[in-house]
Amino acid sequence: MPRKFHKMPELPDTIDDPKVQELLSHYFATSNHDSDHEGFADMFTVDGEYSMNDRRAKGRQEIINMRRGLFSHIPTRDHNPHQIYTHGSDQFQLITRGHVKYNHHMGHETDTEWAAYYDLKKDENGEPKFQKVHIIVDSNKQV
């Protein structure tokens, strides 16, 4: 069974939009679960991009497919973001660093640090969505 997301780190004062705060919280909670790939993809713009190291998915279906592939290799994971920073001129460009534990099919666990860049945009309804998420993680720890 997937592990539950623990809690959001304290956000900087520069992230003051409750909708951005809610999106981030939902993103990190969903990142640990393999049951809602469609809901995960819904957090992105229509042409949103999700990438991890050299893997890249663009658009809803590619994001769903990439997530399914990621969870087929590591069925449970426990992401813990430690710090979230604004980058650029507003709260729509963010950088995060954290720690993740992987529980593998064979029963062993690995863990590593990770960092990510998030570029958010408002959709046609004024809701914040991810335009781009790029995660940097030691892929050797995923084995």
Side-chain angles (χ1 to χ4, degrees):
M1 171 171 262
R3 296 179 179 166
K4 295 196 182 342
F5 172 65
H6 298 285
K7 68 174 192 160
M8 284 287 292
E10 186 173 325
L11 296 174
D13 293 339
T14 51
I15 302 176
D16 59 2
D17 183 336
K19 290 182 178 184
V20 171
Q21 295 169 1
E22 183 180 318
L23 177 67
L24 291 171
S25 182
H26 183 60
Y27 170 81
F28 288 116
T30 307
S31 292
N32 288 337
H33 298 280
D34 67 347
S35 60
D36 192 12
H37 302 303
E38 291 79 11
F40 185 85
D42 288 342
M43 290 186 271
F44 287 77
T45 59
V46 174
D47 62 343
E49 186 176 298
Y50 178 59
S51 59
M52 180 181 301
N53 296 339
D54 62 346
R55 297 182 205 162
R56 188 170 317 278
K58 187 166 181 147
R60 179 179 172 73
Q61 194 57 54
E62 285 186 19
I63 291 170
I64 291 169
N65 293 344
M66 182 171 162
R67 288 253 314 157
R68 285 184 178 141
L70 292 171
F71 277 94
S72 71
H73 298 291
I74 303 170
T76 60
R77 52 202 68 219
D78 186 11
H79 291 86
N80 288 297
H82 296 302
Q83 292 177 305
I84 300 175
Y85 307 93
T86 52
H87 172 72
S89 61
D90 58 31
Q91 61 192 315
F92 285 83
Q93 292 183 337
L94 307 171
I95 295 177
T96 302
R97 68 173 201 84
H99 186 263
V100 61
K101 288 183 183 180
Y102 300 115
N103 190 346
H104 301 265
H105 284 292
M106 301 302 289
H108 69 286
E109 287 189 359
T110 56
D111 65 299
T112 191
E113 299 292 316
W114 58 268
Y117 169 75
Y118 306 93
D119 184 16
L120 285 71
K121 292 198 174 175
K122 289 189 178 184
D123 68 8
E124 61 278 353
N125 298 317
E127 297 294 320
K129 300 275 185 172
F130 294 112
Q131 176 66 38
K132 181 176 186 175
V133 172
H134 181 66
I135 301 163
I136 301 165
V137 65
D138 182 354
S139 57
N140 290 325
K141 298 292 185 170
Q142 296 175 337
V143 180

